[in-house]
Amino acid sequence: MKASLRDNLFDEISIRYVNVIQNDEKDVTRNNLIYDLCGYMFQTRGQLISCQECKETVVCEEADLPDDFTAKQYTAFRNRGGLIFVTIPVFQSIREVEKIISSQFEDDGHYLVRDSYEICMSKIKVLNLCPFFCDTHRADSYPYLIMEFVQVRYHFESKRFQERNLAEVDSNVRQNFKMAKLA
């Protein structure tokens, strides 16, 4: 099923490639987090950039990015030599994917949706994204990166949900324990 999703995702996205995605996101904090997560994806999945041609399309140097790019400044400020700077097309594409994922998590009832991941992937398939990776590896690496990003975001969201709900349960248990002691 995962291979089928990946193949279908690539077929649909490759039809809709664009060169530039307009920046309509004004939330600087969100952009910084997305940019960091993009770098993290390539740091932890080194096999994606084992090819030199692929690496040139997704990873860049700090000097290659525009000076007014806030995420670059934030990453450079925290960099001690281990952070990865990704290219603008990668960031723009992942930012579009993040918009779909965020909209999926706006309603608390989304946790009850049975095929939430598949619904999210079907919305991502119709996005206009920038192409990256070399022609040889694009069919494998591009959908893999997007699917991994969605999985990481779902993992973060499930952790947030657990912390929020378990905090309520934990406070109720403490309150009930105190009341039982007083009785």
Side-chain angles (χ1 to χ4, degrees):
M1 183 173 168
K2 193 172 184 178
S4 172
L5 268 174
R6 185 179 56 239
D7 293 341
N8 192 2
L9 176 67
F10 180 71
D11 292 342
E12 292 291 324
I13 286 178
S14 61
I15 295 169
R16 295 177 178 82
Y17 281 145
V18 295
N19 292 330
V20 177
I21 300 173
Q22 295 300 322
N23 183 9
D24 60 350
E25 181 73 35
K26 304 296 184 220
D27 189 355
V28 174
T29 304
R30 179 181 293 273
N31 284 341
N32 290 343
L33 291 172
I34 293 169
Y35 193 79
D36 272 0
L37 198 49
C38 290
Y40 165 78
M41 295 298 291
F42 289 108
Q43 181 76 25
T44 57
R45 290 151 183 88
Q47 77 274 14
L48 291 175
I49 52 176
S50 59
C51 166
Q52 188 59 34
E53 283 184 64
C54 288
K55 190 173 185 174
E56 290 171 2
T57 64
V58 295
V59 177
C60 65
E61 297 296 322
E62 178 185 353
D64 297 337
L65 295 168
D67 290 332
D68 62 342
F69 187 49
T70 316
K72 164 197 160 181
Q73 296 164 355
Y74 177 72
T75 304
F77 177 71
R78 297 179 318 103
N79 192 9
R80 304 278 189 272
L83 299 179
I84 291 181
F85 291 90
V86 297
T87 59
I88 298 294
V90 172
F91 168 69
Q92 290 174 335
S93 296
I94 297 297
R95 186 181 62 213
E96 292 300 310
V97 170
E98 172 61 27
K99 287 179 189 176
I100 299 294
I101 297 169
S102 303
S103 69
Q104 192 79 2
F105 294 134
E106 284 177 354
D107 180 26
D108 279 343
H110 77 277
Y111 294 103
L112 304 175
V113 176
R114 182 173 180 195
D115 298 328
S116 178
Y117 182 80
E118 287 82 7
I119 292 169
C120 186
M121 293 307 289
S122 67
K123 291 178 183 177
I124 291 171
K125 282 193 275 191
V126 297
L127 290 175
N128 293 325
L129 302 177
C130 298
F132 46 88
F133 292 115
C134 69
D135 293 334
T136 308
H137 298 111
R138 188 174 295 140
D140 294 327
S141 298
Y142 200 95
Y144 174 78
L145 176 70
I146 291 174
M147 290 176 75
E148 286 291 306
F149 181 79
V150 173
Q151 289 174 5
V152 166
R153 282 292 287 119
Y154 266 75
H155 174 74
F156 288 161
E157 198 61 31
S158 70
K159 288 291 189 184
R160 187 179 69 83
F161 180 76
Q162 286 175 354
E163 289 172 3
R164 186 179 66 217
N165 287 341
L166 290 179
E168 292 173 12
V169 170
D170 191 36
S171 68
N172 288 339
V173 167
R174 284 189 193 132
Q175 184 66 26
N176 290 339
F177 184 70
K178 287 179 186 178
M179 292 176 85
K181 266 185 152 178
L182 294 175

